[in-house]
Amino acid sequence: MKKVILSVALLGAFLVSCENDSPISDNTVEESQEVQVDMSDFSLYVDQDDIAGKSASSLEKCVSMKNLEYRLSKNNGLAKKMYDIEYNTRKAIALKGQANKGKPTGGNGGGGTTPSIYEGAITIPVVINIIEQFSGQVTQNQINSQIRILNEDFQNNNSNTSNVPSAFAGLVADINVTFVLGTVNRVVNTKASWGTNDAMKIPSQGGIAPTDATSNLNLWVCEIGGGILGYAQFPGGSNATDGVVIGTDFFGETNAGGIYGKGRTATHEVGHWLNLRHIWGDGRCNRDDFVADTPTSDAPNYNCPSYPTVNCRSTDMTMNYMDYVQDDCMYMFTSGQNDRMRALFVAGGPKEGFVN
């Protein structure tokens, strides 16, 4: 079992080193004496032995946490940046809660002028970087279908959402994000697998560099290898590697992807890119995904589980996009996940370049 854990007591060690990116502000949200931010449960870790399981078809759905471990080992300042983002996210959500209760802390309805959570419609340009083994391997239909599916999922238009159980129906959120196709970059490279250490993003290694990651979502499509569907970089990482990587067979609608061929790997990974954790918290029952309205669980669900599936004395939200179920069986984000994502877009936040 390998773990990288950041605790409050160790924060000073991360203050001395920082990557050559724009600094993350510690003051994204105005301070309020009424807001208490508890960071005692915050952790950054990869548990390789019993959390990174595989589906019945021997596919490893997501290795975002493994990539995070790799990035933490390469960048001593990353943990501090991610701590700051998490602190500001929690403060923003707490301030929103106070504003909804009519307290004057700067949120809606509380007499202030600056909402703590970005409230408007969000448009995200998408640059697609395709590294294919032969020209035309990734079809235009895959590209078009992937953009359509992202918009369906982030605008609550997935037709399967009607299957959400009544216990969770009141939590379903429209994230109000529109993805717009921008540049498509292609290179031919016969490399059999690119792995998970971001080689596909480095031109000197045969990859494609990202296009202005401060205002574009970069998607890389390539043969990752190892039965891996995809992975994403969490907020706070280097702009030189920022974005989402998706295996060729799992990008958009493809017959080759089987039960994971309906384009929802991108939805899951873009969720990570927007600061969502796996819904089970990447640990046992005492680990959380830092979202208040998602149930506690202790492991991913695969395939298409029956309802109710109970773990940690609560019913799993298996249909959430941040679980590991097959594409047809994931069809919701929650209001709490919406708040968590939208906290990134406020002034001073790591995604403010998309709205300013």
Side-chain angles (χ1 to χ4, degrees):
M1 181 182 296
K2 296 177 65 179
K3 292 186 178 180
V4 180
I5 300 177
L6 174 64
S7 66
V8 176
L10 296 177
L11 280 178
F14 296 109
L15 290 171
V16 299
S17 176
C18 193
E19 193 174 11
N20 293 326
D21 280 337
S22 299
I24 301 299
S25 171
D26 288 329
N27 299 305
T28 299
V29 180
E30 184 178 353
E31 293 288 340
S32 169
Q33 293 181 350
E34 297 183 49
V35 174
Q36 298 294 323
V37 179
D38 180 7
M39 295 291 291
S40 62
D41 67 332
F42 180 60
S43 63
L44 302 170
Y45 69 90
V46 173
D47 191 338
Q48 292 183 331
D49 292 336
D50 49 13
I51 298 302
K54 293 189 177 183
S55 69
S57 53
S58 297
L59 295 173
E60 190 166 4
K61 188 163 176 60
C62 172
V63 291
S64 294
M65 294 302 289
K66 286 184 179 179
N67 178 259
L68 174 58
E69 180 184 36
Y70 172 74
R71 283 291 154 206
L72 287 166
S73 72
K74 295 293 184 181
N75 175 11
N76 290 333
L78 177 58
K80 176 61 168 63
K81 282 188 175 183
M82 293 185 69
Y83 180 95
D84 291 344
I85 291 169
E86 184 65 26
Y87 180 88
N88 287 330
T89 295
R90 295 185 186 199
K91 173 161 278 191
I93 292 170
L95 286 170
K96 180 189 176 187
Q98 288 196 352
N100 289 339
K101 296 176 182 177
K103 296 182 180 181
T105 57
N108 282 349
T113 58
T114 305
S116 62
I117 302 290
Y118 186 81
E119 296 179 329
I122 298 170
T123 299
I124 296 181
V126 182
V127 175
I128 299 180
N129 304 301
I130 300 171
I131 307 172
E132 49 196 354
Q133 294 181 321
F134 56 88
S135 181
Q137 180 184 14
V138 178
T139 68
Q140 189 64 42
N141 179 65
Q142 283 181 267
I143 295 171
N144 294 342
S145 65
Q146 187 61 85
I147 297 298
R148 172 178 56 79
I149 290 161
L150 283 170
N151 283 320
E152 287 175 358
D153 295 349
F154 280 83
Q155 295 171 22
N156 193 27
N157 284 323
N158 185 331
S159 61
N160 288 328
T161 305
S162 60
N163 297 321
V164 172
S166 59
F168 300 139
L171 302 176
V172 177
D174 176 357
I175 311 303
N176 196 16
V177 171
T178 300
F179 297 88
V180 177
L181 179 62
T183 304
V184 177
N185 302 310
R186 293 179 184 261
V187 298
V188 174
N189 190 308
T190 58
K191 188 172 182 177
S193 63
W194 287 86
T196 60
N197 290 346
D198 296 330
M200 72 289 295
K201 306 173 184 179
I202 304 173
S204 63
Q205 297 186 32
I208 302 173
T211 299
D212 188 11
T214 62
S215 58
N216 292 284
L217 165 59
N218 281 263
L219 297 182
W220 283 266
V221 184
C222 63
E223 302 289 348
I224 303 174
I228 295 167
L229 277 64
Y231 69 93
Q233 179 170 294
F234 289 96
S238 169
N239 286 334
T241 52
D242 186 68
V244 168
V245 182
I246 302 172
T248 304
D249 289 345
F250 313 108
F251 176 71
E253 291 182 329
T254 71
N255 291 331
I259 61 174
Y260 297 121
K262 301 295 180 64
R264 254 104 215 173
T265 293
T267 302
H268 178 100
E269 299 303 343
V270 171
H272 285 315
W273 182 74
L274 291 174
N275 208 27
L276 297 186
R277 296 292 187 92
H278 290 132
I279 194 167
W280 67 94
D282 293 288
R284 297 308 176 194
C285 295
N286 62 345
R287 292 283 182 192
D288 192 44
D289 63 348
F290 312 139
V291 178
D293 61 5
T294 58
T296 300
S297 191
D298 61 351
N301 291 284
Y302 292 101
N303 303 310
C304 200
S306 60
Y307 180 86
T309 296
V310 177
N311 289 289
C312 301
R313 299 182 181 181
S314 62
T315 300
D316 285 0
M317 191 182 284
T318 63
M319 66 293 306
N320 194 282
Y321 291 117
M322 302 314 295
D323 209 330
Y324 273 9
V325 298
Q326 67 190 52
D327 285 12
D328 282 342
C329 296
M330 54 170 59
Y331 36 80
M332 70 173 288
F333 288 117
T334 71
S335 297
Q337 288 174 320
N338 182 41
D339 284 349
R340 186 171 175 83
M341 290 187 275
R342 285 182 161 272
L344 302 174
F345 293 89
V346 296
K351 303 296 184 189
E352 68 168 327
F354 288 85
V355 295
N356 295 324

mmCIF file of all heavy atoms in Angstrom, residues 14-35:
data_model
loop_
_atom_site.group_PDB
_atom_site.id
_atom_site.type_symbol
_atom_site.label_atom_id
_atom_site.label_comp_id
_atom_site.label_asym_id
_atom_site.label_seq_id
_atom_site.Cartn_x
_atom_site.Cartn_y
_atom_site.Cartn_z
ATOM 1 N N PHE A 14 5.848 22.479 2.662
ATOM 2 C CA PHE A 14 5.532 22.717 1.263
ATOM 3 C C PHE A 14 5.648 24.188 0.878
ATOM 4 O O PHE A 14 5.539 24.538 -0.285
ATOM 5 C CB PHE A 14 4.122 22.218 0.950
ATOM 6 C CG PHE A 14 3.973 20.744 1.118
ATOM 7 C CD1 PHE A 14 3.240 20.230 2.168
ATOM 8 C CD2 PHE A 14 4.578 19.867 0.236
ATOM 9 C CE1 PHE A 14 3.111 18.873 2.334
ATOM 10 C CE2 PHE A 14 4.455 18.506 0.402
ATOM 11 C CZ PHE A 14 3.721 18.005 1.457
ATOM 12 N N LEU A 15 5.854 25.054 1.843
ATOM 13 C CA LEU A 15 5.916 26.480 1.561
ATOM 14 C C LEU A 15 7.205 26.897 0.881
ATOM 15 O O LEU A 15 7.280 27.966 0.295
ATOM 16 C CB LEU A 15 5.751 27.266 2.869
ATOM 17 C CG LEU A 15 4.354 27.205 3.495
ATOM 18 C CD1 LEU A 15 4.381 27.836 4.883
ATOM 19 C CD2 LEU A 15 3.344 27.917 2.621
ATOM 20 N N VAL A 16 8.254 26.064 0.962
ATOM 21 C CA VAL A 16 9.561 26.452 0.455
ATOM 22 C C VAL A 16 9.759 26.143 -1.008
ATOM 23 O O VAL A 16 10.756 26.542 -1.592
ATOM 24 C CB VAL A 16 10.671 25.766 1.283
ATOM 25 C CG1 VAL A 16 10.596 26.196 2.736
ATOM 26 C CG2 VAL A 16 10.555 24.248 1.169
ATOM 27 N N SER A 17 8.852 25.400 -1.613
ATOM 28 C CA SER A 17 9.040 25.019 -2.999
ATOM 29 C C SER A 17 7.762 25.227 -3.773
ATOM 30 O O SER A 17 6.696 24.954 -3.295
ATOM 31 C CB SER A 17 9.455 23.540 -3.091
ATOM 32 O OG SER A 17 9.560 23.139 -4.436
ATOM 33 N N CYS A 18 7.882 25.728 -5.001
ATOM 34 C CA CYS A 18 6.694 25.974 -5.812
ATOM 35 C C CYS A 18 7.045 25.861 -7.274
ATOM 36 O O CYS A 18 8.105 26.295 -7.703
ATOM 37 C CB CYS A 18 6.145 27.364 -5.511
ATOM 38 S SG CYS A 18 4.484 27.610 -6.164
ATOM 39 N N GLU A 19 6.170 25.268 -8.063
ATOM 40 C CA GLU A 19 6.389 25.082 -9.488
ATOM 41 C C GLU A 19 6.261 26.412 -10.208
ATOM 42 O O GLU A 19 5.654 27.352 -9.725
ATOM 43 C CB GLU A 19 5.344 24.089 -10.016
ATOM 44 C CG GLU A 19 5.652 23.574 -11.386
ATOM 45 C CD GLU A 19 4.662 22.484 -11.776
ATOM 46 O OE1 GLU A 19 3.666 22.304 -11.068
ATOM 47 O OE2 GLU A 19 4.908 21.820 -12.773
ATOM 48 N N ASN A 20 6.834 26.527 -11.392
ATOM 49 C CA ASN A 20 6.840 27.765 -12.145
ATOM 50 C C ASN A 20 5.519 27.995 -12.863
ATOM 51 O O ASN A 20 5.472 28.171 -14.077
ATOM 52 C CB ASN A 20 7.993 27.760 -13.161
ATOM 53 C CG ASN A 20 9.331 27.779 -12.476
ATOM 54 O OD1 ASN A 20 9.471 28.390 -11.429
ATOM 55 N ND2 ASN A 20 10.312 27.124 -13.072
ATOM 56 N N ASP A 21 4.437 27.990 -12.141
ATOM 57 C CA ASP A 21 3.120 28.308 -12.667
ATOM 58 C C ASP A 21 2.593 29.519 -11.918
ATOM 59 O O ASP A 21 3.186 29.985 -10.952
ATOM 60 C CB ASP A 21 2.141 27.151 -12.455
ATOM 61 C CG ASP A 21 2.314 26.070 -13.507
ATOM 62 O OD1 ASP A 21 2.841 26.387 -14.582
ATOM 63 O OD2 ASP A 21 1.929 24.924 -13.217
ATOM 64 N N SER A 22 1.445 30.022 -12.350
ATOM 65 C CA SER A 22 0.825 31.118 -11.648
ATOM 66 C C SER A 22 0.456 30.666 -10.246
ATOM 67 O O SER A 22 -0.095 29.590 -10.061
ATOM 68 C CB SER A 22 -0.433 31.568 -12.396
ATOM 69 O OG SER A 22 -0.100 32.014 -13.685
ATOM 70 N N PRO A 23 0.751 31.473 -9.224
ATOM 71 C CA PRO A 23 0.430 31.066 -7.855
ATOM 72 C C PRO A 23 -1.057 30.994 -7.630
ATOM 73 O O PRO A 23 -1.837 31.708 -8.235
ATOM 74 C CB PRO A 23 1.051 32.190 -6.999
ATOM 75 C CG PRO A 23 1.103 33.372 -7.917
ATOM 76 C CD PRO A 23 1.356 32.813 -9.285
ATOM 77 N N ILE A 24 -1.457 30.093 -6.728
ATOM 78 C CA ILE A 24 -2.855 29.970 -6.345
ATOM 79 C C ILE A 24 -3.096 30.845 -5.134
ATOM 80 O O ILE A 24 -2.417 30.729 -4.116
ATOM 81 C CB ILE A 24 -3.197 28.510 -6.007
ATOM 82 C CG1 ILE A 24 -2.913 27.610 -7.204
ATOM 83 C CG2 ILE A 24 -4.641 28.387 -5.567
ATOM 84 C CD1 ILE A 24 -3.717 27.947 -8.433
ATOM 85 N N SER A 25 -4.039 31.731 -5.244
ATOM 86 C CA SER A 25 -4.304 32.673 -4.174
ATOM 87 C C SER A 25 -4.869 31.976 -2.953
ATOM 88 O O SER A 25 -5.696 31.077 -3.061
ATOM 89 C CB SER A 25 -5.295 33.740 -4.652
ATOM 90 O OG SER A 25 -5.713 34.538 -3.571
ATOM 91 N N ASP A 26 -4.415 32.396 -1.765
ATOM 92 C CA ASP A 26 -4.991 31.889 -0.529
ATOM 93 C C ASP A 26 -6.245 32.659 -0.143
ATOM 94 O O ASP A 26 -6.890 32.356 0.839
ATOM 95 C CB ASP A 26 -3.979 32.011 0.629
ATOM 96 C CG ASP A 26 -2.855 31.013 0.497
ATOM 97 O OD1 ASP A 26 -3.099 29.927 -0.048
ATOM 98 O OD2 ASP A 26 -1.737 31.324 0.936
ATOM 99 N N ASN A 27 -6.564 33.709 -0.928
ATOM 100 C CA ASN A 27 -7.649 34.596 -0.534
ATOM 101 C C ASN A 27 -8.690 34.725 -1.629
ATOM 102 O O ASN A 27 -9.196 35.798 -1.904
ATOM 103 C CB ASN A 27 -7.087 35.980 -0.185
ATOM 104 C CG ASN A 27 -6.108 35.918 0.961
ATOM 105 O OD1 ASN A 27 -6.432 35.421 2.023
ATOM 106 N ND2 ASN A 27 -4.890 36.420 0.743
ATOM 107 N N THR A 28 -9.009 33.611 -2.282
ATOM 108 C CA THR A 28 -10.009 33.628 -3.335
ATOM 109 C C THR A 28 -11.339 34.127 -2.803
ATOM 110 O O THR A 28 -12.076 34.829 -3.465
ATOM 111 C CB THR A 28 -10.187 32.214 -3.911
ATOM 112 O OG1 THR A 28 -8.943 31.798 -4.461
ATOM 113 C CG2 THR A 28 -11.237 32.191 -5.001
ATOM 114 N N VAL A 29 -11.675 33.752 -1.585
ATOM 115 C CA VAL A 29 -12.925 34.156 -0.966
ATOM 116 C C VAL A 29 -12.615 35.049 0.225
ATOM 117 O O VAL A 29 -11.722 34.769 1.010
ATOM 118 C CB VAL A 29 -13.719 32.913 -0.506
ATOM 119 C CG1 VAL A 29 -15.015 33.339 0.146
ATOM 120 C CG2 VAL A 29 -13.992 32.003 -1.680
ATOM 121 N N GLU A 30 -13.330 36.144 0.332
ATOM 122 C CA GLU A 30 -13.107 37.088 1.420
ATOM 123 C C GLU A 30 -13.253 36.407 2.777
ATOM 124 O O GLU A 30 -14.163 35.622 3.011
ATOM 125 C CB GLU A 30 -14.116 38.232 1.302
ATOM 126 C CG GLU A 30 -13.898 39.331 2.332
ATOM 127 C CD GLU A 30 -14.888 40.463 2.144
ATOM 128 O OE1 GLU A 30 -15.620 40.434 1.151
ATOM 129 O OE2 GLU A 30 -14.913 41.355 2.999
ATOM 130 N N GLU A 31 -12.310 36.711 3.688
ATOM 131 C CA GLU A 31 -12.341 36.115 5.005
ATOM 132 C C GLU A 31 -13.604 36.529 5.766
ATOM 133 O O GLU A 31 -14.123 37.626 5.632
ATOM 134 C CB GLU A 31 -11.109 36.570 5.814
ATOM 135 C CG GLU A 31 -9.796 36.034 5.277
ATOM 136 C CD GLU A 31 -9.637 34.551 5.542
ATOM 137 O OE1 GLU A 31 -10.326 34.030 6.446
ATOM 138 O OE2 GLU A 31 -8.844 33.917 4.856
ATOM 139 N N SER A 32 -14.112 35.653 6.564
ATOM 140 C CA SER A 32 -15.264 35.945 7.417
ATOM 141 C C SER A 32 -15.052 35.267 8.755
ATOM 142 O O SER A 32 -14.750 34.099 8.816
ATOM 143 C CB SER A 32 -16.557 35.429 6.780
ATOM 144 O OG SER A 32 -17.606 35.495 7.721
ATOM 145 N N GLN A 33 -15.219 36.025 9.832
ATOM 146 C CA GLN A 33 -15.034 35.452 11.150
ATOM 147 C C GLN A 33 -16.059 34.365 11.444
ATOM 148 O O GLN A 33 -15.855 33.527 12.302
ATOM 149 C CB GLN A 33 -15.117 36.559 12.207
ATOM 150 C CG GLN A 33 -13.955 37.542 12.133
ATOM 151 C CD GLN A 33 -14.043 38.614 13.199
ATOM 152 O OE1 GLN A 33 -15.057 38.747 13.883
ATOM 153 N NE2 GLN A 33 -12.982 39.376 13.353
ATOM 154 N N GLU A 34 -17.166 34.372 10.710
ATOM 155 C CA GLU A 34 -18.215 33.403 10.969
ATOM 156 C C GLU A 34 -17.970 32.067 10.283
ATOM 157 O O GLU A 34 -18.685 31.104 10.537
ATOM 158 C CB GLU A 34 -19.556 33.967 10.506
ATOM 159 C CG GLU A 34 -19.991 35.216 11.251
ATOM 160 C CD GLU A 34 -21.363 35.667 10.796
ATOM 161 O OE1 GLU A 34 -22.273 34.829 10.747
ATOM 162 O OE2 GLU A 34 -21.519 36.849 10.474
ATOM 163 N N VAL A 35 -16.979 32.004 9.397
ATOM 164 C CA VAL A 35 -16.737 30.787 8.630
ATOM 165 C C VAL A 35 -15.565 30.025 9.232
ATOM 166 O O VAL A 35 -14.473 30.564 9.393
ATOM 167 C CB VAL A 35 -16.455 31.105 7.149
ATOM 168 C CG1 VAL A 35 -16.061 29.848 6.404
ATOM 169 C CG2 VAL A 35 -17.676 31.734 6.508
#
